[in-house]
Amino acid sequence: MSLHTELMDVAITGGTLVLESGCIEGNIAIKEGRIAAITAPDVVLPASETIDARNLMVFPGVVDPHVHFKEPGPGHIREDFHSGTCQAAAGGVTTTVEMPLSIPLVTTRDAFLLKHEVAGSKVVTDYALWGLLPADDLDRIEELVDIGCVAFKTFLSTDPDAPKLTDYKLLEAMKVMKRFNRFIGFHAENPAIIDATAEAMEKAGINGGLAHLQSRPDIAEMEAISRIALFAEETGCDVHICHLSSGRARDLIRHARSRGVSMTVETLPSYLVLDDSDLDRWGVFAKCNPPIRSRENQAMLWDMLIKGEINMLGSDHCPYTDDDRLKHNGNIWAVPPGLPGIELMLPLMLDAGLHQRGLRPEVLARLMSSAPARRFGLGHRKGALQVGLDADIALADPDHVWTYDGTRSVGKQKSALTPWEGREIRGLVVRTLVRGRTVFCDGEVTAEPGSGQLIKPVF
């Protein structure tokens, strides 16, 4: 046994540390918000606070690259930066990368600063911000890069909250983006296919969860990804596919990469855990875009994930109130799309990935922490248990079996009307630290609103 002489702020002892190189038994010393040392388990670490991590896995904090907290704007009745980051902490998420669909849209420096002002007084975890690809003035890209946007989102599908770029404008924007060392993240669905199909099905009186799936077929996602790849090859623009749902896009992604296209791909635990039987059962409460697909498709996504063809996981956390769904009397075409999910990020992947499919813990850590951190320019501070990085840490009991009850959520919408309700999960986050401070412990959020920080990217 040896003694580390300097007094640390926090020592985490006796846990299984999930490092990038694999798992080891050891201790973590934290000083001034950063990881100061990683030691053998027999090293004594004098500290102001000692956390006993015996029988726990010690993960790097999850970096969620895809969340919707809906502030500023009227959407705050559904979610906001405080309630959203409270749920993040419960799910082992220590940094959220928030989407730009607020009011005003994040297409200007002033909109970015307004969102930062709102978020800064509420967050309990750290955060970064997407920008929205401007449709009318591409000169704004430079000011958004300068102020700290990590990346730029655009929609090939029709979205009532975001302007759609013509193919000409998109090509021009991709040429501009290449100059600024940022990438464009795409909602990849062909609007002509899905809008016309949905309209025809609604007119024919076809309804229900499976109707939503049928209205957004694989080919709509595949065509959009093929177009993105072609435009990226032509312009040299770096691209990212948000929320991939179709395993049939695999060959298109492989082909693009083989031709030198820089393309990363994200999928969601929702697509890896839920399937069309859940969509059929839950109907309007399981509607999201792109849709939850078949079990056979899910198997393709898992294979892509295991083989490294999907780079990272995000939650696409986007909750609604019960009334948002119930007031439409079961009309799948009228309800807004979106599911909650950030509260279950690490637990779901411990269950479905570690236990059910044998994914090694370090693979989960790469998919949920280091890969998104580095892709979004946050790797200088986030994403790994490494000396010098922020002490963002999730302690999880991998074998604790529990049943999800939405009415006991730490978030704003304490709803039992989600497809997660009643799900038995093996794996539980018991404690979350952001920069060495405990923000969540044993089911309770312990951090004060406004304790999180904006993290600007370094590429």
Side-chain angles (χ1 to χ4, degrees):
M1 180 179 295
S2 61
L3 177 67
H4 194 282
T5 56
E6 184 182 0
L7 181 68
M8 294 290 115
D9 296 328
V10 181
I12 299 174
T13 62
T16 299
L17 311 184
V18 184
L19 308 181
E20 292 186 275
S21 57
C23 293
I24 65 168
E25 301 302 310
N27 305 328
I28 295 177
I30 300 169
K31 186 78 171 177
E32 296 178 350
R34 303 224 173 187
I35 297 174
I38 295 174
T39 76
D42 63 346
V43 174
V44 176
L45 293 173
S48 300
E49 178 186 12
T50 298
I51 297 170
D52 182 357
R54 285 175 296 178
N55 301 315
L56 300 179
M57 284 186 170
V58 183
F59 281 89
V62 174
V63 177
D64 189 340
H66 193 146
V67 304
H68 298 270
F69 291 156
K70 303 181 182 294
E71 276 199 305
H76 75 276
I77 63 170
R78 299 161 177 153
E79 191 68 288
D80 59 45
F81 274 100
H82 181 247
S83 61
T85 54
C86 284
Q87 290 177 82
V93 178
T94 53
T95 304
T96 62
V97 189
E98 209 269 339
M99 284 288 175
L101 300 183
S102 47
I103 299 175
L105 299 167
V106 184
T107 57
T108 67
R109 183 178 185 277
D110 288 346
F112 180 100
L113 291 173
L114 175 61
K115 176 170 280 200
H116 172 39
E117 180 182 359
V118 171
S121 65
K122 295 186 175 185
V123 290
V124 301
T125 68
D126 288 348
Y127 67 103
L129 297 176
W130 284 80
L132 187 69
L133 196 62
D136 54 348
D137 185 358
L138 297 181
D139 289 338
R140 291 179 183 170
I141 291 173
E142 183 171 9
E143 71 179 56
L144 289 165
V145 168
D146 289 343
I147 199 65
C149 285
V150 293
F152 291 80
K153 180 73 179 289
T154 196
F155 292 78
L156 297 192
S157 61
T158 303
D159 189 291
D161 297 321
K164 183 178 179 297
L165 276 67
T166 65
D167 282 350
Y168 168 75
K169 277 283 191 181
L170 179 58
L171 267 172
E172 293 303 302
M174 292 174 81
K175 292 174 186 175
V176 172
M177 194 64 64
K178 180 175 168 53
R179 304 204 313 262
F180 291 109
N181 197 28
R182 292 293 191 276
F183 61 87
I184 300 175
F186 289 85
H187 182 126
E189 289 183 288
N190 178 299
I193 294 172
I194 57 181
D195 293 352
T197 305
E199 182 181 5
M201 293 180 75
E202 185 176 13
K203 284 182 178 178
I206 302 170
N207 194 30
L210 295 182
H212 176 62
L213 170 58
Q214 292 158 13
S215 74
R216 304 179 91 94
D218 294 84
I219 188 62
E221 198 166 359
M222 293 164 67
E223 188 282 331
I225 289 172
S226 69
R227 186 163 20 123
I228 292 163
L230 187 62
F231 284 16
E233 184 176 2
E234 178 70 15
T235 62
C237 181
D238 199 355
V239 296
H240 177 74
I241 306 301
C242 298
H243 46 45
L244 178 76
S245 75
S246 175
R248 289 181 60 196
R250 180 182 212 164
D251 287 344
L252 296 168
I253 294 165
R254 285 175 170 173
H255 179 70
R257 289 169 170 167
S258 74
R259 295 179 63 84
V261 172
S262 177
M263 175 185 287
T264 51
V265 178
E266 156 208 302
T267 196
L268 318 179
S270 305
Y271 298 144
L272 297 169
V273 175
L274 303 174
D275 60 44
D276 56 359
S277 66
D278 298 292
L279 183 55
D280 187 32
R281 175 188 173 198
W282 285 95
V284 295
F285 301 104
K287 180 180 177 180
C288 61
N289 296 336
I292 297 162
R293 300 191 187 274
S294 69
R295 190 166 296 179
E296 294 74 21
N297 176 80
Q298 186 182 87
M300 287 191 280
L301 292 178
W302 272 109
D303 195 54
M304 292 177 70
L305 191 80
I306 290 166
K307 292 179 177 175
E309 296 173 76
I310 290 173
N311 305 91
M312 68 191 71
L313 297 170
S315 68
D316 194 10
H317 177 75
C318 186
Y320 285 88
T321 67
D322 288 350
D323 183 60
D324 284 324
R325 305 300 175 99
L326 292 170
K327 68 184 180 183
H328 296 291
N329 298 313
N331 181 355
I332 196 72
W333 312 112
V335 298
L339 298 177
I342 199 169
E343 191 171 20
L344 295 174
M345 276 287 282
L346 186 51
L348 284 174
M349 294 310 297
L350 288 170
D351 189 358
L354 178 70
H355 294 303
Q356 295 182 32
R357 291 169 179 83
L359 263 68
R360 298 187 307 277
E362 63 268 26
V363 174
L364 292 181
R366 170 174 55 79
L367 290 165
M368 304 179 77
S369 300
S370 62
R374 289 166 185 163
R375 179 56 161 149
F376 285 81
L378 309 177
H380 61 298
R381 292 186 58 180
K382 309 292 184 181
L385 299 182
Q386 181 179 313
V387 172
L389 295 189
D390 286 354
D392 292 355
I393 295 168
L395 283 74
D397 182 343
D399 293 313
H400 184 91
V401 178
W402 59 293
T403 300
Y404 182 72
D405 177 358
T407 65
R408 300 179 66 183
S409 167
V410 299
K412 182 173 285 190
Q413 305 307 326
K414 301 186 186 301
S415 173
L417 298 176
T418 80
W420 305 121
E421 188 65 21
R423 179 171 293 273
E424 186 176 272
I425 301 170
R426 183 181 173 193
L428 179 71
V429 174
V430 298
R431 190 168 188 143
T432 304
L433 292 85
V434 175
R435 287 174 281 106
R437 298 173 300 103
T438 295
V439 298
F440 174 84
C441 186
D442 295 331
E444 300 292 333
V445 175
T446 59
E448 291 298 317
S451 57
Q453 292 181 358
L454 174 68
I455 309 298
K456 292 192 178 183
V458 175
F459 286 97

